[in-house]
Amino acid sequence: MMWVNRKSPRFVVTALFVALAHALGTSDLGQAVERAIPRPLEHHPGNIFLEGESVRISLPKQGVWQLLDADNRSVKTVVANDNLVELGSLPVGFYRLKNEDYPDWVSLGVIAPLKVPTPQTSPIALDVAMSWFYREDRMADVASLCALAGVNWVRDRLSWGEVEPHRGEFRSRTRYDAAAEIQSACGLKVLQVYHASPKWANPETKRFPIDWRNCHNFLKAVAERWKGKVLAYEPWNEADIEVFGGHTGAEMASLQKAAYWAVKSASPETIVCWSVFATNNAAHLEDIAANDILPYCDTFNFHHYRPLEDYPSLYESFRQIAGPRPLWVTECALPLRWSGDPEKQELSDEDLFEQARRLVKVFACSLHEGTAATFYFLLPHYVEGPTQFGIIRRDLTPRPAYVSLAAVGRLLADARPCGKLAEKDVWGYLFRAKPDGKSRLVLVLWSKDQRNLPLPVKPVALYDHFGRSIELPAESLPLTAAPIFAVFDEDSLAQFDLVNPPQANPVPVSSPCPVVLQTLWPSDKIDLRQSAYRVKLDGQDLSFPIFIYNFGQTGAEGTIRVTVPTGWEAKFIDHCRLAAHERVEHTLQLVPPKSGWSGVAVTRIEGDFGTLGRSVLSFRLVAD
């Protein structure tokens, strides 16, 4: 890489590693984590048990309780004399205990034990936000729940200003250290993200830091500090929307480049993700594509909460920009609204079970589109206004969706898409996966209306969306709106009539350049819809501050060329020389056509720095 002497052994090893990983398009650029078959903690946090264990839980009130299964059928009546009850061994499923004199229910889950460790490349991931939702004394409990469910990656949250309250001054111990240590010790791969600047880096804390060196120094420090524990970073969360700063694609691209060099200089094997889109605004996508961002990200990340029917077009819009980079969806769900008691913020009974069905569908549809990692949003109890996202409750006990997550984690372990069933009016997605460690074909399917689906070959196993075993059908499979998992021998692929899954866009990717260009523009002059800067047409030349950084370890020297639309003129330097880690400022002057202009005007600055590569800054202007 460019940050060390190009003749040194470290440069050769690092460059070969990153080049190979990029060429393979792998989702597992980060280090492998030590991982065993997870077992429940002795106190069974969240009332989660493995099939075959004897279930023993604490109840909030003595008296008579009814144990109900996920179909609301009474399983047994128990009497709690000392608040502890023995329920014996229960089959896989979601259960609730109810007492007519108690205003709430107590839940528990029984899940199938994993027979092998979760594969290092499994796409099943979960947004946990461990650092922000749980005290350190609860983190191990939560991490255990993730591991038991077959989760590979978990997503956390980070406050930059809490770790570095003053420039260059880092706190020695924070909750983020605890979360990284505990989750990684539990065999989970950690993705970290932040979305605000400290006041000392920008008084507008929702916005990016003014000086990229501050971001670079922070990310380099935490990448060194949590090396081997935090295996991936998103440099900012949803920067394309107002709540997280409302940045243009050009601004996001420049930050991405500074962040890339920061993380890679500290830990070359750590994944640098694209700083994650909240929307698929075409102008933002065009803007980042023009800024040549692919050399500076190992994965291409985005979020969505859209209907399942939107997935094909939504994912395609990102796939065209992502090129060969693996797609990571680091937030996704089909959320539902809570109802009833505002203190509980609980889903209705109907929606509790709808959430469980939707979780399976979200994973199936997302993985079919070719994601290397799909992070469901969200594990903890969390509401935004009337919407409840969480799949566990405040006391860590499960909602039905947690049991569905465990079914996905086990049955779609290491899933790779084979295609979609061609059958009309059936949602059916076939994957190569490793349920219970065996290479199989797994078909996830459902239908909006009840129907019977003839199968070309008999499955070897069948499970409902909770992972409960279902009796194998004779010839056809009854479908409903509740998804099911059908497991087949691996050699039966040719028996299925499939529509092929989408493929990555094989565009070439250049090499990253340590010279990074940046322009600054007032935040109130940004047009987010057009990913552009608004400028007044008053007959005067337009002036833009352009900052040039060298994040390499050696000096950089090169030529600069500016391209503007027809009828425009540009005045800028044509040559640049920078020392290592230097930042210089120059003024770009643009002369618009005297006759005026409309639409979007794109200015492109390109620096050729020889063996260090080419640096690009492209930004868009619209008339104010």
Side-chain angles (χ1 to χ4, degrees):
M1 283 303 194
M2 306 299 184
W3 58 82
V4 296
N5 187 311
R6 297 181 61 84
K7 295 181 180 180
S8 74
R10 183 184 171 205
F11 167 78
V12 175
V13 172
T14 300
L16 287 176
F17 177 87
V18 176
L20 177 60
H22 279 175
L24 293 175
T26 179
S27 63
D28 195 40
L29 289 171
Q31 306 101 309
V33 295
E34 291 188 14
R35 183 175 284 165
I37 299 174
R39 302 295 300 176
L41 300 179
E42 186 176 355
H43 59 289
H44 288 276
N47 292 342
I48 298 300
F49 295 82
L50 298 185
E51 186 179 23
E53 289 188 301
S54 182
V55 177
R56 185 172 188 261
I57 67 171
S58 176
L59 293 173
K61 178 181 176 64
Q62 296 182 2
V64 178
W65 291 76
Q66 288 291 325
L67 177 66
L68 306 173
D69 67 11
D71 300 308
N72 217 33
R73 295 176 301 204
S74 178
V75 176
K76 62 175 65 177
T77 300
V78 294
V79 179
N81 294 319
D82 58 357
N83 292 70
L84 288 173
V85 292
E86 297 278 357
L87 300 175
S89 179
L90 296 172
V92 168
F94 171 79
Y95 298 89
R96 289 189 289 183
L97 284 151
K98 292 185 177 181
N99 179 305
E100 62 181 18
D101 296 323
Y102 188 72
D104 201 359
W105 40 267
V106 176
S107 67
L108 63 99
V110 178
I111 61 178
L114 298 178
K115 295 183 179 179
V116 296
T118 297
Q120 298 280 347
T121 52
S122 183
I124 310 306
L126 183 62
D127 196 323
V128 179
M130 180 77 82
S131 299
W132 285 5
F133 277 88
Y134 298 109
R135 303 186 311 267
E136 185 172 347
D137 60 359
R138 299 193 86 183
M139 288 180 180
D141 291 351
V142 176
S144 173
L145 295 180
C146 296
L148 289 171
V151 170
N152 186 21
W153 282 91
V154 291
R155 187 171 185 250
D156 205 351
R157 296 292 189 287
L158 173 64
S159 170
W160 175 359
E162 192 174 337
V163 176
E164 189 185 9
H166 306 285
R167 182 182 288 106
E169 297 179 12
F170 289 82
R171 288 199 168 102
S172 60
R173 177 75 180 177
T174 68
R175 52 181 165 166
Y176 310 111
D177 296 276
E181 292 163 4
I182 290 169
Q183 290 178 108
S184 61
C186 201
L188 300 168
K189 295 184 173 184
V190 181
L191 162 66
Q192 188 56 275
V193 63
Y194 63 98
H195 58 238
S197 295
K199 285 187 177 180
W200 57 261
N202 191 340
E204 290 185 81
T205 56
K206 289 199 305 183
R207 298 277 296 165
F208 291 160
I210 295 170
D211 188 332
W212 286 160
R213 291 174 298 182
N214 292 324
C215 166
H216 180 276
N217 293 340
F218 167 69
L219 277 174
K220 180 180 179 182
V222 296
E224 289 174 342
R225 179 167 170 164
W226 299 323
K227 185 175 182 179
K229 298 181 179 68
V230 175
L231 304 185
Y233 290 89
E234 287 175 328
W236 202 272
N237 181 68
E238 297 184 351
D240 58 320
I241 59 175
E242 185 62 38
V243 69
F244 298 118
H247 302 83
T248 68
E251 292 172 318
M252 294 174 72
S254 289
L255 176 79
Q256 181 72 32
K257 295 170 184 179
Y260 175 87
W261 288 110
V263 174
K264 294 299 185 183
S265 65
S267 179
E269 64 274 25
T270 296
I271 295 172
V272 181
C273 306
W274 167 248
S275 57
V276 69
F277 276 124
T279 72
N280 64 327
N281 177 25
H284 269 96
L285 295 178
E286 291 174 10
D287 205 3
I288 67 156
N291 277 279
D292 192 23
I293 57 95
L294 292 184
Y296 306 89
C297 59
D298 299 310
T299 66
F300 193 90
N301 296 25
F302 60 96
H303 295 165
H304 64 76
Y305 297 87
R306 302 268 282 270
L308 301 175
E309 293 84 354
D310 290 356
Y311 283 24
S313 60
L314 174 68
Y315 280 65
E316 182 61 21
S317 65
F318 291 116
R319 193 180 292 110
Q320 288 302 311
I321 303 299
R325 293 291 181 256
L327 297 180
W328 279 21
V329 179
T330 52
E331 287 183 21
C332 62
L334 290 171
L336 293 153
R337 295 188 170 202
W338 59 268
S339 60
D341 187 346
E343 293 297 318
K344 296 178 183 177
Q345 300 172 322
E346 189 57 86
L347 300 171
S348 67
D349 271 15
E350 180 181 350
D351 284 344
L352 276 170
F353 294 102
E354 175 61 14
Q355 184 191 43
R357 294 188 289 267
R358 288 185 177 190
L359 180 144
V360 176
K361 295 175 182 180
V362 165
F363 271 107
C365 291
S366 177
L367 297 181
H368 168 73
E369 294 295 330
T371 60
T374 293
F375 293 70
Y376 188 83
F377 188 90
L378 179 77
L379 178 72
H381 178 101
Y382 172 66
V383 300
E384 289 184 1
T387 302
Q388 172 63 259
F389 290 92
I391 64 173
I392 62 174
R393 308 178 86 193
R394 290 187 179 96
D395 62 358
L396 307 189
T397 58
R399 294 189 172 97
Y402 172 83
V403 181
S404 290
L405 173 69
V408 169
R410 179 172 70 96
L411 299 173
L412 291 182
D414 220 22
R416 299 294 181 267
C418 296
K420 180 180 179 181
L421 290 186
E423 183 80 16
K424 187 178 179 181
D425 298 327
V426 170
W427 297 70
Y429 301 94
L430 189 67
F431 302 93
R432 290 190 185 276
K434 295 177 180 176
D436 297 325
K438 298 178 180 178
S439 294
R440 301 285 196 186
L441 295 177
V442 180
L443 180 63
V444 185
L445 67 170
W446 66 93
S447 175
K448 290 184 178 179
D449 302 312
Q450 292 188 8
R451 58 183 293 143
N452 288 322
L453 177 69
L455 292 175
V457 61
K458 189 173 182 178
V460 298
L462 201 62
Y463 303 92
D464 71 4
H465 63 288
F466 290 120
R468 298 181 296 188
S469 181
I470 303 174
E471 184 179 349
L472 293 174
E475 294 180 355
S476 63
L477 193 59
L479 298 182
T480 67
I484 58 177
F485 301 87
V487 181
F488 300 87
D489 285 328
E490 194 176 24
D491 60 3
S492 58
L493 179 61
Q495 305 297 318
F496 292 90
D497 184 12
L498 299 172
V499 177
N500 289 333
Q503 299 298 312
N505 181 22
V507 298
V509 177
S510 60
S511 298
C513 177
V515 179
V516 177
L517 307 175
Q518 172 200 22
T519 187
L520 289 174
W521 201 244
S523 58
D524 61 353
K525 294 298 182 182
I526 289 176
D527 184 326
L528 270 188
R529 184 179 63 84
Q530 300 186 78
S531 188
Y533 302 126
R534 300 198 311 271
V535 294
K536 285 191 176 295
L537 298 179
D538 55 7
Q540 303 296 315
D541 293 355
L542 306 175
S543 295
F544 295 86
I546 303 295
F547 298 91
I548 308 177
Y549 302 79
N550 177 12
F551 291 115
Q553 294 294 325
T554 61
E557 184 173 2
T559 58
I560 305 289
R561 181 167 63 95
V562 180
T563 304
V564 292
T566 302
W568 290 63
E569 295 180 12
K571 301 175 184 177
F572 194 56
I573 60 170
D574 57 12
H575 184 269
C576 182
R577 178 183 297 169
L578 299 98
H581 301 290
E582 187 179 8
R583 175 194 195 236
V584 297
E585 179 182 356
H586 296 280
T587 299
L588 169 67
Q589 287 188 303
L590 298 178
V591 184
K594 296 190 182 301
S595 58
W597 57 286
S598 61
V600 175
V602 178
T603 296
R604 179 181 175 89
I605 305 173
E606 185 171 340
D608 184 347
F609 292 91
T611 58
L612 295 181
R614 293 179 177 271
S615 182
V616 173
L617 171 63
S618 173
F619 60 92
R620 297 154 60 93
L621 303 177
V622 292
D624 189 352

